[in-house]
Amino acid sequence: MRGAVIHSPGDVRFEELDDPKILNPTDAIIRTVATCVCGSDLWPYRGLEPVTEPHPMGHEYVGIVEEVGSEVTSARPGQFVVGSFATSDNTCANCRNGWQSSCLHREFMSTCQADHIRIPNAHGTLVATDGHPDAALVPSLLAVSDVMGTGWYAALAAEVKPGSTAVVVGDGAVGLCGVIAAKELGAERIIAMSRHEARQELAREFGATDIVGERGEEGIARVKDLTGGIGADSVLECVGTPEAMRQALHSARPGGNVGFVGVPHEVRVDGEELFFSHVGLRGGPAPVRRYLPDLIDRVLSGRIDPGKVFDLTLPLEQVAEGYRAMDERRAVKALLKP
């Protein structure tokens, strides 16, 4: 088969790889229908995470089941399936508590920018749709496998409630999906922080009521100005930098909540400052599997359309261009088709 391999920062190649095989009775092999480049893939691409040796890339996927292990009963060959970037058996104590991304048998997907993928823990990870969805719905179903599920978790972690005010820090795919989530959960006011005109337009289409282009202290002051000097009930941090975390914590009102889902890089939180702020803080890898059935239904019913975050579609063999376009902010998110 063929797939993306990162060799060093800025160097992603499309290469011949070994075909995936069933290694455990809970595995499945799927033929990729669509995959994509994630904002978190840019950390190693930009040299902000070490690349010690060449390795495959990608953790978002939808596809057709081709083969299953002897213990997989939730999916069968020929079905269209959506999975999560964190695999889970969906039966352990953590999974039963709704934290499938902390499954005791968790494996993080890392080989999905390829035409075939081995899915560990397939029996608990994959959700099959009724029949094969229309091609127009594939981008939104792909978004559900990570960015929509992660944006949804950010909103829940920030405790977005009907009638509340939410701030979304970050205008990448996760942040934009966070706007969708806040809207779906009933936020009355949604303040999207963005300096990119096309992303601002999409945020408004998804439900943002206000746009804040300022950053740092000016951005915090602008949010306070929009919220009567108090701050927001809920803040979704969807970037992972120290600046974004500070923006989030200082944009929340006393008693408000921050949900942080941007993979942290050199983020430090001052315990004393957090203590006296009365702001709640929860984050981590999103338990996407918990939300898959609901989010898939919302997509198939036409209630949400997170696939609009894909503003660049390329053949899988042009994956390197997808990385370049996202790195240069020429694209929000690149969808790849084998």
Side-chain angles (χ1 to χ4, degrees), residues 52-269:
T52 57
E53 61 182 8
H55 59 80
M57 292 289 287
H59 54 264
E60 298 159 278
Y61 58 95
V62 293
I64 306 297
V65 177
E66 292 203 334
E67 184 180 0
V68 297
S70 61
E71 295 182 15
V72 177
T73 58
S74 60
R76 62 181 184 274
Q79 287 186 308
F80 183 97
V81 291
V82 184
S84 166
F85 62 86
T87 73
S88 56
D89 60 25
N90 217 25
T91 60
C92 77
N94 290 340
C95 288
R96 292 197 305 272
N97 285 328
W99 297 97
Q100 288 91 335
S101 50
S102 284
C103 176
L104 296 176
H105 301 101
R106 174 190 68 192
E107 294 185 41
F108 285 115
M109 296 299 298
S110 60
T111 62
C112 298
Q113 291 164 7
D115 51 32
H116 287 79
I117 314 166
R118 180 179 75 90
I119 311 295
N121 296 311
H123 59 301
T125 301
L126 297 177
V127 176
T129 60
D130 292 332
H132 288 205
D134 188 278
L137 295 173
V138 167
S140 285
L141 292 170
L142 176 60
V144 164
S145 78
D146 182 358
V147 291
M148 186 64 239
T150 296
W152 195 263
Y153 171 58
L156 290 176
E159 299 190 14
V160 174
K161 293 180 172 62
S164 64
T165 295
V167 170
V168 180
V169 179
D171 63 358
V174 172
L176 291 167
C177 288
V179 172
I180 295 176
K183 179 70 172 178
E184 288 290 295
L185 293 172
E188 183 174 298
R189 193 171 196 182
I190 303 171
I191 302 168
M193 307 200 76
S194 173
R195 293 178 291 185
H196 191 284
E197 185 176 351
R199 300 180 189 210
Q200 292 173 355
E201 291 177 4
L202 191 52
R204 288 192 183 279
E205 183 177 346
F206 284 162
T209 56
D210 301 88
I211 301 293
V212 170
E214 295 88 346
R215 289 291 181 269
E217 295 302 320
E218 291 183 358
I220 294 165
R222 181 61 180 145
V223 169
K224 294 289 181 69
D225 181 59
L226 290 169
T227 55
I230 300 300
D233 303 306
S234 303
V235 184
L236 289 63
E237 192 284 298
C238 304
V239 183
T241 63
E243 296 80 7
M245 180 61 82
R246 176 176 173 77
Q247 190 90 49
L249 289 171
H250 287 257
S251 294
R253 65 167 173 82
N257 293 279
V258 172
F260 70 105
V261 296
V263 180
H265 286 75
E266 299 184 359
V267 172
R268 300 289 183 269
V269 176

